[in-house]
Amino acid sequence: MCSPPASPTTSAPTWPGWDAAVTSGGRSVDRRSRREKGVRRWRSQLGRAWLLSGDAPAAERALRQAVSRLPVPPLAYLQLAAITVRDGRYQDARDALRKYAVLVGDARPLAGVSTQIADYSLRLGEPAEAVRWYDRAISEAGPTPVL
């Protein structure tokens, strides 16, 4: 016979199979998390393949699905920016690049991405925003022989 579920004063339920249920439930959540991460990575790669094949609408659909839930593959935002800028959607491209910059932080050099964000900001009529991103690009590029 099983004991009733734990009351607030007891530490844990004691019915048979409780530990096994908790352990298998945790493994199930972990497997689901890994599977979802794999699906997003796969969608990102699918988007890249569609982009390389020239089917921008299919690539954008796959990449938007890849970035719809966390964790997001950062490169999906770079590819999404490449697609949207081809259509002249500079706001969308800039937003995707900003999200990429937030995701990678200091893990990767961002001078090129910062320059692109600044360029798109100029096209959108936001020179103050462009100056901030150009400053960031210069500081991240480090010392250069020619400016």
Side-chain angles (χ1 to χ4, degrees):
M1 182 98 188
C2 296
S3 63
S7 68
T9 58
T10 60
S11 61
T14 57
W15 63 78
W18 169 257
D19 292 333
V22 170
T23 303
S24 69
R27 281 192 303 247
S28 176
V29 169
D30 189 41
R31 279 194 304 267
R32 193 172 344 151
S33 173
R34 283 192 308 249
R35 185 177 63 239
E36 289 175 2
K37 184 177 180 181
V39 167
R40 281 187 290 282
R41 187 177 304 125
W42 174 81
R43 290 208 184 276
S44 176
Q45 292 169 351
L46 178 63
R48 182 172 187 268
W50 281 119
L51 182 60
L52 292 173
S53 72
D55 191 345
E60 185 172 357
R61 280 191 305 274
L63 291 167
R64 290 219 182 265
Q65 288 175 348
V67 301
S68 65
R69 293 176 62 188
L70 293 175
V72 174
L75 291 177
Y77 281 120
L78 288 180
Q79 295 162 356
L80 192 56
I83 292 169
T84 54
V85 80
R86 285 181 183 180
D87 295 338
R89 293 181 288 154
Y90 296 107
Q91 180 71 46
D92 291 340
R94 185 177 70 174
D95 291 346
L97 291 175
R98 283 178 174 167
K99 290 175 183 176
Y100 171 81
V102 167
L103 276 177
V104 299
D106 294 332
R108 296 185 186 147
L110 290 175
V113 171
S114 297
T115 302
Q116 285 180 302
I117 294 171
D119 291 345
Y120 300 155
S121 295
L122 281 178
R123 289 178 183 260
L124 292 167
E126 298 176 16
E129 180 77 5
V131 168
R132 282 194 296 275
W133 284 99
Y134 281 132
D135 283 343
R136 183 172 176 177
I138 291 168
S139 69
E140 290 185 9
T144 57
V146 178
L147 291 179

